[in-house]
Amino acid sequence: MAIQKVGVVGCGLMGSGIAQVAAVSGFSTVVREVSAELLDKGLKNIDKNLNRLAEKGTITEAVKSEIRGRLKGTTKIEDLKDCDVIVEAIIEQLPRSANSFQRWMQFVRRRRFSRAIHRR
């Protein structure tokens, strides 16, 4: 199965970085966060990183726009249903992590998934 769409659960420091790398690599990417406020914060971090790359001349403004166009933010777990790969990058608090895992596993029965663990 060819990977075309990547999902990332969590848009904190680790999740936003994973989402950025996926989008830079050419994958359509959906990043999910529990609230609009946290999602906005993570997407702003990605925008800041892409702006820095454009300012340094590492990427052009056109490439920056293409990358950002491949990246979608959401607070709805259902938006992960079409993802070929889902990476979980939420704070490792067992009850929250287990609940999140159970909710999005319904979408990945025949898909690939990974967990990026960040413990507090």
Side-chain angles (χ1 to χ4, degrees):
M1 172 171 75
I3 298 170
Q4 296 180 8
K5 190 171 185 181
V6 175
V8 181
V9 179
C11 197
L13 185 61
M14 189 181 303
S16 65
I18 293 167
Q20 179 180 328
V21 168
V24 166
S25 298
F27 297 107
S28 175
T29 305
V30 178
V31 61
R32 190 260 182 180
E33 190 51 89
V34 295
S35 72
E37 179 184 353
L38 292 173
L39 180 62
D40 187 52
K41 183 178 177 182
L43 293 175
K44 283 181 182 178
N45 188 46
I46 293 171
D47 289 337
K48 181 179 79 173
N49 292 338
L50 294 176
N51 287 335
R52 190 176 316 130
L53 291 172
E55 288 167 6
K56 289 182 179 180
T58 306
I59 60 173
T60 64
E61 288 293 325
V63 169
K64 181 179 86 169
S65 294
E66 288 174 16
I67 293 167
R68 194 58 177 88
R70 288 190 286 268
L71 187 61
K72 176 187 174 202
T74 186
T75 57
K76 298 176 185 174
I77 198 84
E78 300 83 25
D79 289 343
L80 300 172
K81 69 181 175 203
D82 296 329
C83 294
D84 300 308
V85 174
I86 298 176
V87 180
E88 180 191 36
I90 66 171
I91 294 172
E92 187 66 20
Q93 294 175 338
L94 196 51
R96 181 187 296 176
S97 183
N99 183 38
S100 171
F101 186 77
Q102 292 299 321
R103 289 184 65 208
W104 60 263
M105 275 301 293
Q106 65 184 313
F107 301 117
V108 293
R109 299 232 184 270
R110 294 190 185 109
R111 293 177 174 82
R112 303 170 189 149
F113 65 93
S114 176
R115 297 181 77 203
I117 299 173
H118 177 227
R119 296 195 177 174
R120 276 200 177 166

